[in-house]
Amino acid sequence: MRPYVSGSTPPPADRNDLKTLKTLLPYLWRFKHRVVLALGCLIAAKVAGVTTPLYLKDIVDQLSLPATAAMVPLLALAGYGLARLLSSVLGELRDAIFARVVQGAVRNVAREVFSHLFRLSLRFHLERQTGGMSRDIERGTKGIGFLLNFTVFNILPTLIEIALVVGILLSRYDAWFAIVTFGTIAIYIAFTLTVTEWRTVFRRSMNELDSRANSKAIDALINYETVKYFGNERFETQRYDGNLASWEQSAIKNQVSLSMLNAGQGVIIAVGVTLIMWLAARGVTRGEMTVGDVVLVATFITQLWSPLHFLGFVYREIRHALADMERMFTLLKVGAEVADSAGAVALDARQVSIAFEQVAFGYDAKRQILHDVSFEIPAGHTVAVVGASGAGKSTLSRLLFRFYDASAGRITFNGHDIRQLSQDSLRAHIGIVPQDTVLFNDSIYYNIAYGRPDASREEVIEAARSAHIHDFVMGLPDGYDTTVGERGLKLSGGEKQRVAIARTILKNPPVLVFDEATSALDSRTEKAIQAELLSIAANRTTLIIAHRLSTIAEADCILVMDAGRIIERGTHRELLAAGGRYAEMWRLQQEGEVLEA
């Protein structure tokens, strides 16, 4: 798999439908017995369907004899009825057997794509628009269902029927019947393929513009409050409409080209049918064919041209489905920027010591964030990091979680480079209360229990008590079943922060990261929670990224960062005595608190 690079991931310009089908094949072969059985029913149903006109010919010919010699054609009637019955029953049996294959393949592909997206790096998700990506997955999974259903239920049966009909015509009648039939089909297919290839660019353009419009719309709706704050409803509507206008032009071109294709197909079929019926009429007038033969040929034509006309539509849609599937499978080809090493070991420790050793990192080559950062957090100790915005404080926590890997140096847990540890076990040992808490659009209970989904209700409530949010929750009409809304927008910043704290308390990890965890709280609530945070941090390895210096005065060590470098380190008292940057920050914050009071 290739590593992810910035930007969207459209399907390659040189489409390879065969490669897309090969990607899908393993998902189908998990149900190989059902696939083989369904194909057997398909072939048997088509053989029965093709023999139906033969029995019909015998019935007509026998009924056309002079009255003195006429008899009820019982055998022909019985054969005709049995053939029609088998054709119908076997077709339905094929559908029932293959349904599990289709739905199972769709489910397995969707699950794998969804799981793969979580294996990709934070960089990938920050640089992708979720709305467009979800649309790609939705269209891709629908495309799989369409491809499988219509390949097995339309294309294969039609091809088998064409082969059987041409064979019967060659064996029973003048070669011109088979030549005209096969020639018409060949011209029809060639015309359909050529025009459909030309039209594919319009469909792909429509998909791209549709994803873009959907991404912009979802982005605006997610940021509903921001749009309202600045009164930009008209601006967002115009931007959305601009994308729709481009989509409209592609849609019009798509429809016009479709009409041209349908008209051309109609002309080809009309000419072919006329020629075959002329051959049949000429054969009767010459005494070379009976009325039953005309009925046979007419029935074959009816059976053949109807699905063949539908085949044009199916082929077009299958091409579209392949384009949609290719776009979705492209996501699977994106390699994980951060991946477990071949010999990654699982971390299992109750106490963890952390060390940053000459760590350097930049989100891209043009922007270096950290420069030669080195510090240790002994097991059970607390280290706080302070500094101006953009100093690189939050980047430390992202590297700790291995959302990114350091470009130089290393980070160790109990002396082990975290790149040699499995990501699952590494993250299981860390709990974080982020500055910007995002909640799921579910209940408060669900969001707290997310820290440990197998926790009992009593444990969830106890965690809420520890985060000082239980009383607030019980005061709500629906209590813990209250839905928090999209991204938790129904809760205030402080309420969301306390839910995040409860979630981390419930996880109960040996390493804690507080990334400005109380920044959204008022002073009174902050003091109430601060004691609880210090309590849960006791005997745990804790990294505190702080803005308010009063919250870290008791830390074992305080690091002062500026422009990605550690410029001061020491205890609160040592840094105040040094009279450097930290002392200046402390003085300014104390003055600010006095003014606020």
Side-chain angles (χ1 to χ4, degrees), residues 355-442:
F356 280 67
E357 301 175 1
Q358 297 179 311
V359 172
F361 175 74
Y363 291 104
D364 58 59
K366 300 177 181 177
R367 185 190 175 200
Q368 189 76 1
I369 302 298
L370 299 179
H371 305 268
D372 195 26
V373 172
S374 297
F375 65 90
E376 293 184 17
I377 313 178
H381 285 62
T382 297
V383 169
V385 182
V386 299
S389 177
K393 305 187 299 296
S394 293
T395 300
L396 297 176
S397 67
R398 289 180 170 181
L399 292 177
L400 206 60
F401 272 92
R402 275 202 81 196
F403 289 157
Y404 304 94
D405 278 333
S407 53
R410 68 174 191 157
I411 303 169
T412 65
F413 271 43
N414 290 344
H416 299 286
D417 190 326
I418 62 173
R419 287 172 290 200
Q420 302 305 317
L421 301 175
S422 68
Q423 295 177 70
D424 288 343
S425 68
L426 171 69
R427 291 165 187 161
H429 284 69
I430 310 173
I432 186 169
V433 180
Q435 177 182 10
D436 183 19
T437 299
V438 177
L439 303 181
F440 294 95
N441 188 7
D442 210 304

XYZ file of all heavy atoms in Angstrom, residues 355-442:
679
model
N 10.101 8.751 28.528
C 11.261 9.594 28.210
C 11.175 10.069 26.770
O 10.896 9.274 25.866
C 12.558 8.819 28.434
N 11.369 11.364 26.572
C 11.548 11.963 25.247
C 13.039 12.171 25.080
O 13.675 12.869 25.887
C 10.820 13.297 25.149
C 9.346 13.189 24.887
C 8.495 12.658 25.842
C 8.797 13.639 23.685
C 7.139 12.562 25.607
C 7.439 13.544 23.449
C 6.605 13.005 24.415
N 13.623 11.578 24.055
C 15.065 11.638 23.852
C 15.384 12.335 22.530
O 15.222 11.750 21.456
C 15.660 10.227 23.871
C 15.406 9.476 25.174
C 15.901 8.044 25.134
O 16.469 7.648 24.081
O 15.717 7.320 26.132
N 15.768 13.603 22.622
C 16.182 14.404 21.457
C 15.153 14.306 20.316
O 15.497 14.079 19.164
C 17.553 13.942 20.956
C 18.661 14.144 21.995
C 20.017 13.679 21.512
O 20.152 12.572 20.998
N 21.021 14.530 21.666
N 13.899 14.510 20.678
C 12.804 14.367 19.721
C 12.685 15.617 18.854
O 12.664 16.745 19.350
C 11.472 14.104 20.461
C 10.303 14.157 19.489
C 11.528 12.747 21.158
N 12.592 15.390 17.545
C 12.326 16.463 16.579
C 11.132 16.033 15.737
O 10.945 14.846 15.466
C 13.541 16.718 15.696
N 10.319 16.995 15.343
C 9.124 16.646 14.570
C 8.605 17.869 13.832
O 8.669 19.000 14.323
C 8.017 16.116 15.486
C 6.711 15.852 14.783
C 6.571 14.754 13.942
C 5.648 16.732 14.915
C 5.383 14.527 13.264
C 4.448 16.504 14.253
C 4.314 15.399 13.425
N 8.061 17.620 12.641
C 7.384 18.650 11.873
C 6.235 18.033 11.117
O 6.348 16.910 10.617
N 5.104 18.738 11.027
C 3.954 18.201 10.307
C 4.225 18.122 8.815
O 3.623 17.324 8.099
C 2.708 19.048 10.583
C 2.221 18.911 12.003
C 2.451 19.913 12.937
C 1.565 17.761 12.422
C 2.017 19.782 14.248
C 1.133 17.612 13.729
C 1.360 18.629 14.645
O 0.941 18.490 15.940
N 5.132 18.943 8.326
C 5.645 18.805 6.962
C 7.060 19.354 6.947
O 7.528 19.960 7.918
C 4.742 19.524 5.941
C 4.581 21.001 6.235
O 5.604 21.713 6.264
O 3.435 21.460 6.437
N 7.743 19.118 5.839
C 9.159 19.478 5.768
C 9.404 20.971 5.919
O 10.489 21.401 6.328
C 9.744 18.987 4.441
N 8.410 21.784 5.596
C 8.581 23.235 5.644
C 8.281 23.837 7.018
O 8.498 25.014 7.232
C 7.665 23.897 4.604
C 7.948 23.467 3.176
C 6.965 24.114 2.206
C 7.222 23.672 0.778
N 6.235 24.247 -0.169
N 7.744 22.998 7.927
C 7.339 23.543 9.213
C 7.792 22.625 10.339
O 7.145 21.647 10.640
C 5.814 23.720 9.251
C 5.317 24.393 10.507
C 3.803 24.326 10.589
N 3.312 24.855 11.842
C 2.113 24.588 12.354
N 1.287 23.800 11.699
N 1.741 25.104 13.508
N 8.925 22.938 10.936
C 9.444 22.146 12.045
C 8.785 22.623 13.335
O 8.793 23.807 13.661
C 10.971 22.299 12.137
C 11.631 21.359 13.099
C 11.731 19.945 12.549
O 11.309 19.680 11.423
N 12.276 19.033 13.334
N 8.211 21.687 14.086
C 7.487 22.043 15.305
C 8.347 21.848 16.546
O 8.438 22.726 17.401
C 6.197 21.198 15.432
C 5.309 21.401 14.207
C 5.439 21.574 16.707
C 4.823 22.804 14.012
N 8.988 20.691 16.675
C 9.811 20.389 17.841
C 11.278 20.296 17.448
O 11.613 19.765 16.387
C 9.372 19.064 18.480
C 7.927 18.987 18.997
C 7.647 17.607 19.576
C 7.660 20.069 20.033
N 12.147 20.786 18.336
C 13.589 20.766 18.081
C 14.302 20.174 19.296
O 14.306 20.780 20.372
C 14.124 22.176 17.828
C 13.425 22.919 16.729
N 13.844 22.901 15.427
C 12.321 23.704 16.759
C 13.043 23.651 14.686
N 12.101 24.153 15.477
N 14.862 18.983 19.145
C 15.735 18.399 20.169
C 15.110 18.448 21.568
O 15.715 18.953 22.518
C 17.082 19.127 20.156
C 18.151 18.360 20.925
O 18.028 17.128 21.026
O 19.080 19.007 21.447
N 13.902 17.923 21.688
C 13.179 17.941 22.966
C 13.544 16.696 23.765
O 13.368 15.566 23.290
C 11.659 18.002 22.736
C 10.899 17.829 24.048
C 11.288 19.318 22.070
N 14.024 16.900 24.992
C 14.395 15.780 25.859
C 13.895 16.054 27.271
O 14.142 17.136 27.824
C 15.914 15.576 25.890
O 16.420 15.242 24.612
N 13.185 15.086 27.833
C 12.779 15.147 29.247
C 12.272 13.776 29.664
O 12.002 12.917 28.820
C 11.711 16.217 29.486
C 10.390 15.956 28.807
C 9.381 15.248 29.440
C 10.149 16.440 27.512
C 8.161 15.021 28.817
C 8.933 16.219 26.891
C 7.931 15.492 27.540
N 12.174 13.575 30.962
C 11.697 12.296 31.494
C 10.528 12.531 32.439
O 10.436 13.571 33.097
C 12.821 11.581 32.257
C 13.973 11.120 31.380
C 15.012 10.321 32.183
O 14.664 9.880 33.303
O 16.133 10.163 31.694
N 9.638 11.540 32.489
C 8.566 11.516 33.485
C 8.698 10.190 34.214
O 8.250 9.149 33.700
C 7.165 11.640 32.860
C 7.105 12.776 31.833
C 6.115 11.849 33.952
C 5.754 12.907 31.137
N 9.329 10.158 35.374
C 9.442 8.900 36.107
C 8.066 8.350 36.455
O 7.083 9.083 36.537
C 10.225 9.303 37.375
C 10.929 10.572 37.005
C 10.016 11.272 36.060
N 7.989 7.051 36.628
C 6.711 6.408 36.953
C 6.112 7.047 38.202
O 6.791 7.226 39.218
C 6.927 4.915 37.171
N 4.833 7.413 38.093
C 4.127 7.993 39.227
C 4.353 9.481 39.413
O 3.780 10.079 40.331
N 5.161 10.116 38.569
C 5.445 11.549 38.695
C 4.599 12.358 37.716
O 4.024 11.825 36.764
C 6.930 11.825 38.448
C 7.801 11.412 39.590
N 7.901 10.099 40.021
C 8.630 12.140 40.414
C 8.747 10.029 41.040
N 9.193 11.253 41.299
N 4.580 13.667 37.964
C 3.818 14.589 37.121
C 4.742 15.634 36.532
O 5.501 16.286 37.264
C 2.705 15.286 37.933
O 1.783 14.308 38.410
C 1.959 16.290 37.068
N 4.686 15.774 35.227
C 5.436 16.813 34.516
C 4.441 17.707 33.800
O 3.523 17.212 33.137
C 6.439 16.203 33.516
C 7.009 17.278 32.590
C 7.564 15.497 34.254
N 4.608 19.007 33.953
C 3.733 19.976 33.301
C 4.518 20.722 32.230
O 5.719 20.961 32.372
C 3.164 20.952 34.315
N 3.815 21.064 31.152
C 4.428 21.809 30.045
C 3.632 23.082 29.830
O 2.400 23.048 29.698
C 4.440 20.975 28.746
C 5.129 21.749 27.629
C 5.139 19.642 28.968
N 4.333 24.220 29.804
C 3.669 25.504 29.573
C 4.399 26.232 28.454
O 5.527 25.893 28.098
C 3.656 26.378 30.854
C 2.886 25.669 31.963
C 5.083 26.705 31.301
N 3.740 27.212 27.921
C 4.349 27.997 26.854
C 3.284 28.697 26.034
O 2.074 28.443 26.198
N 3.722 29.568 25.168
C 2.785 30.317 24.339
C 2.102 29.391 23.347
O 2.568 28.277 23.080
C 3.528 31.435 23.602
N 1.007 29.851 22.783
C 0.305 29.082 21.766
C 1.231 28.855 20.573
O 1.920 29.772 20.120
C -0.949 29.837 21.320
O -1.607 29.145 20.296
N 1.265 27.604 20.073
C 2.129 27.277 18.948
C 3.523 26.862 19.355
O 4.381 26.648 18.488
N 3.764 26.729 20.667
C 5.094 26.352 21.123
C 5.383 24.882 20.912
O 6.537 24.449 21.017
C 5.250 26.702 22.609
N 4.331 24.063 20.642
C 4.530 22.640 20.403
C 4.065 21.770 21.547
O 4.367 20.565 21.573
N 3.292 22.335 22.484
C 2.876 21.581 23.674
C 1.957 20.411 23.306
O 2.197 19.267 23.704
C 2.151 22.514 24.661
C 2.957 23.745 25.057
C 2.272 24.540 26.145
C 0.892 25.063 25.720
N 0.970 26.024 24.605
N 0.888 20.691 22.548
C -0.070 19.634 22.216
C 0.535 18.592 21.283
O 0.083 17.440 21.248
C -1.326 20.244 21.580
O -2.030 21.027 22.520
N 1.563 18.975 20.539
C 2.236 18.012 19.657
C 2.858 16.893 20.473
O 2.933 15.742 20.008
C 3.309 18.730 18.817
O 2.685 19.746 18.023
C 4.031 17.758 17.904
N 3.285 17.208 21.710
C 3.865 16.177 22.567
C 2.869 15.044 22.812
O 3.220 13.863 22.760
C 4.306 16.788 23.904
C 5.408 17.858 23.855
C 5.655 18.418 25.243
C 6.689 17.282 23.266
N 1.613 15.406 23.080
C 0.608 14.370 23.359
C 0.290 13.564 22.097
O 0.048 12.357 22.169
C -0.665 15.005 23.922
O -1.315 15.809 22.960
N 0.289 14.213 20.942
C 0.016 13.483 19.697
C 1.129 12.491 19.386
O 0.873 11.390 18.883
C -0.157 14.464 18.549
C -1.451 15.267 18.638
C -1.602 16.226 17.482
N -2.948 16.801 17.459
C -3.378 17.668 16.550
N -2.556 18.065 15.585
N -4.603 18.142 16.596
N 2.359 12.859 19.683
C 3.471 11.930 19.492
C 3.403 10.798 20.512
O 3.745 9.647 20.209
C 4.803 12.669 19.621
C 5.133 13.683 18.520
C 6.452 14.378 18.822
C 5.196 13.022 17.155
N 2.956 11.126 21.722
C 2.835 10.118 22.771
C 1.842 9.029 22.375
O 2.058 7.844 22.619
C 2.390 10.795 24.066
C 2.761 10.116 25.395
C 4.270 9.996 25.529
C 2.181 10.914 26.560
N 0.750 9.420 21.729
C -0.266 8.474 21.266
C 0.122 7.806 19.947
O -0.604 6.958 19.451
C -1.611 9.184 21.075
C -2.461 9.228 22.307
C -2.397 10.300 23.177
C -3.328 8.198 22.604
C -3.188 10.357 24.319
C -4.131 8.233 23.744
C -4.047 9.318 24.605
N 1.219 8.218 19.345
C 1.664 7.740 18.033
C 0.654 8.062 16.937
O 0.437 7.271 16.018
C 1.957 6.243 18.047
C 3.359 5.895 18.519
C 3.774 4.525 18.021
N 4.241 4.571 16.632
C 4.370 3.485 15.873
N 4.059 2.293 16.353
N 4.795 3.596 14.637
N 0.015 9.220 17.042
C -0.746 9.702 15.903
C 0.233 10.064 14.787
O -0.107 10.024 13.606
C -1.580 10.925 16.284
C -2.745 10.598 17.183
C -3.305 11.571 17.991
C -3.276 9.329 17.215
C -4.382 11.281 18.807
C -4.350 9.018 18.031
C -4.901 10.004 18.831
N 1.426 10.429 15.181
C 2.540 10.673 14.265
C 3.776 10.036 14.892
O 3.823 9.795 16.104
C 2.805 12.168 14.074
C 1.626 12.978 13.604
C 0.799 13.629 14.522
C 1.345 13.120 12.245
C -0.278 14.385 14.092
C 0.270 13.876 11.809
C -0.538 14.504 12.742
O -1.606 15.259 12.322
N 4.785 9.787 14.077
C 6.073 9.329 14.577
C 7.080 10.465 14.507
O 7.057 11.273 13.562
C 6.586 8.142 13.760
C 5.975 6.825 14.208
O 5.600 6.722 15.394
O 5.864 5.904 13.370
N 7.943 10.525 15.515
C 8.965 11.566 15.534
C 9.881 11.417 14.323
O 10.202 10.299 13.906
C 9.769 11.474 16.825
N 10.286 12.546 13.759
C 11.187 12.505 12.605
C 12.627 12.273 13.030
O 13.468 11.865 12.228
C 11.073 13.800 11.794
O 11.256 14.926 12.624
N 12.929 12.532 14.301
C 14.264 12.262 14.848
C 14.104 12.015 16.339
O 13.158 12.479 16.967
C 15.214 13.434 14.585
N 15.067 11.278 16.911
C 14.977 10.952 18.321
C 13.971 9.838 18.569
O 13.487 9.186 17.633
N 13.628 9.629 19.836
C 12.670 8.580 20.148
C 11.946 8.881 21.458
O 12.408 9.681 22.266
C 13.356 7.223 20.227
C 14.314 7.067 21.398
C 14.834 5.641 21.486
N 15.548 5.402 22.748
C 15.724 4.202 23.293
N 15.257 3.129 22.675
N 16.360 4.061 24.432
N 10.806 8.206 21.635
C 10.025 8.287 22.866
C 9.961 6.876 23.426
O 9.686 5.913 22.685
C 8.605 8.812 22.595
C 8.673 10.188 21.915
C 7.788 8.896 23.875
C 7.336 10.665 21.381
N 10.198 6.734 24.723
C 10.211 5.398 25.315
C 9.200 5.273 26.444
O 8.901 6.245 27.146
C 11.606 5.045 25.863
O 11.936 5.916 26.960
C 12.662 5.160 24.776
N 8.658 4.068 26.572
C 7.824 3.666 27.709
C 8.578 2.544 28.420
O 8.841 1.493 27.808
C 6.457 3.148 27.241
C 5.407 4.216 27.106
C 5.699 5.440 26.532
C 4.116 3.988 27.550
C 4.725 6.417 26.403
C 3.127 4.958 27.423
C 3.437 6.188 26.842
N 8.965 2.797 29.658
C 9.746 1.806 30.412
C 10.969 1.352 29.622
O 11.335 0.168 29.614
C 8.884 0.589 30.772
C 7.827 0.918 31.818
O 7.913 1.939 32.493
N 6.829 0.057 31.956
N 11.588 2.298 28.919
C 12.804 2.015 28.169
C 12.598 1.444 26.789
O 13.557 1.275 26.034
N 11.339 1.135 26.413
C 11.053 0.573 25.095
C 10.614 1.695 24.141
O 9.716 2.478 24.468
C 9.932 -0.468 25.178
C 10.255 -1.632 26.065
N 11.147 -2.623 25.707
C 9.793 -1.964 27.300
C 11.229 -3.515 26.678
N 10.419 -3.141 27.662
N 11.244 1.746 22.988
C 10.824 2.698 21.958
C 9.359 2.404 21.608
O 9.004 1.262 21.300
C 11.709 2.534 20.717
C 11.500 3.653 19.697
O 10.362 4.138 19.575
O 12.469 4.013 19.015
N 8.517 3.420 21.659
C 7.083 3.168 21.422
C 6.822 2.685 20.004
O 5.755 2.114 19.728
C 6.225 4.420 21.728
C 6.604 5.592 20.815
C 6.333 4.817 23.188
C 5.665 6.786 20.968
N 7.757 2.870 19.090
C 7.589 2.351 17.731
C 7.737 0.837 17.683
O 7.379 0.209 16.687
C 8.597 3.020 16.788
C 8.260 4.460 16.460
C 9.344 5.169 15.699
N 10.510 5.413 16.531
C 11.439 6.336 16.264
N 11.316 7.097 15.182
N 12.469 6.511 17.059
N 8.253 0.256 18.779
C 8.368 -1.199 18.863
C 7.223 -1.812 19.667
O 7.200 -3.026 19.884
C 9.710 -1.578 19.509
C 10.924 -1.039 18.776
C 10.947 -1.451 17.316
O 10.669 -2.604 16.988
N 11.277 -0.520 16.428
N 6.277 -0.976 20.103
C 5.114 -1.451 20.850
C 3.892 -1.432 19.948
O 3.786 -0.593 19.047
C 4.860 -0.558 22.070
C 5.999 -0.438 23.090
C 5.637 0.579 24.155
C 6.300 -1.793 23.724
N 2.959 -2.337 20.186
C 1.721 -2.307 19.401
C 0.927 -1.062 19.770
O 0.870 -0.660 20.946
C 0.888 -3.561 19.663
O 0.386 -3.574 20.982
N 0.314 -0.450 18.768
C -0.416 0.787 19.018
C -1.594 0.574 19.955
O -1.890 1.425 20.806
C -0.910 1.366 17.683
C 0.216 1.804 16.761
C -0.290 2.305 15.431
O -0.886 3.371 15.365
N -0.081 1.528 14.383
N -2.283 -0.558 19.824
C -3.440 -0.826 20.680
C -3.039 -0.865 22.149
O -3.701 -0.262 23.006
C -4.103 -2.141 20.279
C -4.837 -2.039 18.957
O -5.108 -0.904 18.516
O -5.139 -3.093 18.352
N -1.968 -1.596 22.440
C -1.549 -1.705 23.837
C -0.993 -0.381 24.350
O -1.184 -0.025 25.514
C -0.505 -2.814 23.992
O 0.713 -2.464 23.343
N -0.297 0.363 23.494
C 0.244 1.665 23.891
C -0.885 2.607 24.309
O -0.865 3.203 25.394
C 1.042 2.272 22.732
C 1.505 3.726 22.912
C 2.586 3.807 23.987
C 2.017 4.304 21.596
N -1.888 2.709 23.453
C -2.981 3.653 23.727
C -3.873 3.179 24.856
O -4.528 3.992 25.507
C -3.786 3.876 22.442
C -2.982 4.646 21.404
C -3.568 4.592 20.020
N -2.655 5.200 19.058
C -2.697 4.999 17.755
N -3.615 4.190 17.236
N -1.831 5.585 16.946
N -3.904 1.867 25.089
C -4.684 1.360 26.220
C -4.098 1.818 27.545
O -4.811 1.850 28.557
C -4.735 -0.168 26.164
N -2.819 2.191 27.563
C -2.161 2.619 28.796
C -2.248 4.124 29.011
O -1.728 4.630 30.019
C -0.683 2.197 28.770
C -0.464 0.737 29.036
N -0.842 -0.253 28.159
C 0.073 0.089 30.114
C -0.528 -1.439 28.659
N 0.011 -1.269 29.837
N -2.855 4.849 28.067
C -2.893 6.312 28.169
C -4.333 6.797 28.193
O -5.168 6.347 27.409
C -2.169 6.976 26.972
C -0.779 6.371 26.757
C -2.047 8.482 27.192
C -0.088 6.862 25.500
N -4.628 7.709 29.084
C -5.920 8.382 29.100
C -5.709 9.867 28.902
O -4.730 10.436 29.416
N -6.591 10.507 28.151
C -6.405 11.922 27.847
C -7.696 12.698 28.068
O -8.794 12.201 27.806
C -5.915 12.127 26.394
C -5.594 13.601 26.137
C -6.923 11.585 25.393
C -4.868 13.860 24.824
N -7.534 13.878 28.591
C -8.630 14.849 28.641
C -8.190 16.007 27.747
O -7.355 16.819 28.144
C -8.903 15.333 30.070
C -10.063 16.335 30.068
C -9.223 14.164 30.985
N -8.727 16.074 26.528
C -8.244 17.086 25.579
C -8.852 18.456 25.850
O -9.865 18.593 26.540
C -8.701 16.542 24.228
C -9.937 15.769 24.554
C -9.727 15.183 25.918
N -8.219 19.452 25.273
C -8.743 20.818 25.407
C -10.064 20.965 24.669
O -11.018 21.532 25.187
C -7.722 21.815 24.843
C -8.206 23.259 24.872
C -7.195 24.205 24.254
O -6.222 23.766 23.635
N -7.408 25.494 24.399
N -10.127 20.419 23.465
C -11.334 20.498 22.650
C -12.033 19.145 22.694
O -11.675 18.232 21.957
C -10.979 20.885 21.207
C -12.218 21.046 20.328
O -13.317 21.212 20.895
O -12.083 21.002 19.093
N -13.006 19.017 23.576
C -13.691 17.746 23.748
C -14.797 17.598 22.713
O -15.667 18.458 22.599
C -14.302 17.643 25.156
O -13.253 17.732 26.115
C -15.050 16.335 25.328
N -14.758 16.509 21.956
C -15.792 16.195 20.977
C -16.517 14.944 21.446
O -15.885 13.926 21.721
C -15.196 15.983 19.574
C -16.292 15.588 18.590
C -14.484 17.237 19.113
N -17.850 15.023 21.550
C -18.643 13.899 22.019
C -19.432 13.283 20.871
O -19.696 13.939 19.866
C -19.610 14.355 23.116
C -18.973 15.024 24.341
C -20.046 15.403 25.349
C -17.934 14.118 24.996
N -19.809 12.027 21.048
C -20.652 11.357 20.067
C -22.093 11.822 20.221
O -22.540 12.152 21.327
C -20.589 9.838 20.254
C -19.239 9.243 19.962
C -18.325 9.015 20.984
C -18.882 8.915 18.666
C -17.088 8.473 20.714
C -17.647 8.365 18.387
C -16.746 8.150 19.412
N -22.809 11.827 19.116
C -24.223 12.236 19.156
C -25.046 11.091 19.744
O -25.809 10.415 19.058
C -24.705 12.591 17.743
C -26.092 13.209 17.751
O -26.642 13.498 18.811
N -26.661 13.401 16.580
N -24.868 10.894 21.034
C -25.526 9.812 21.754
C -25.791 10.298 23.176
O -25.677 11.493 23.467
C -24.632 8.558 21.742
C -25.445 7.266 21.777
O -26.252 7.123 22.722
O -25.265 6.413 20.883
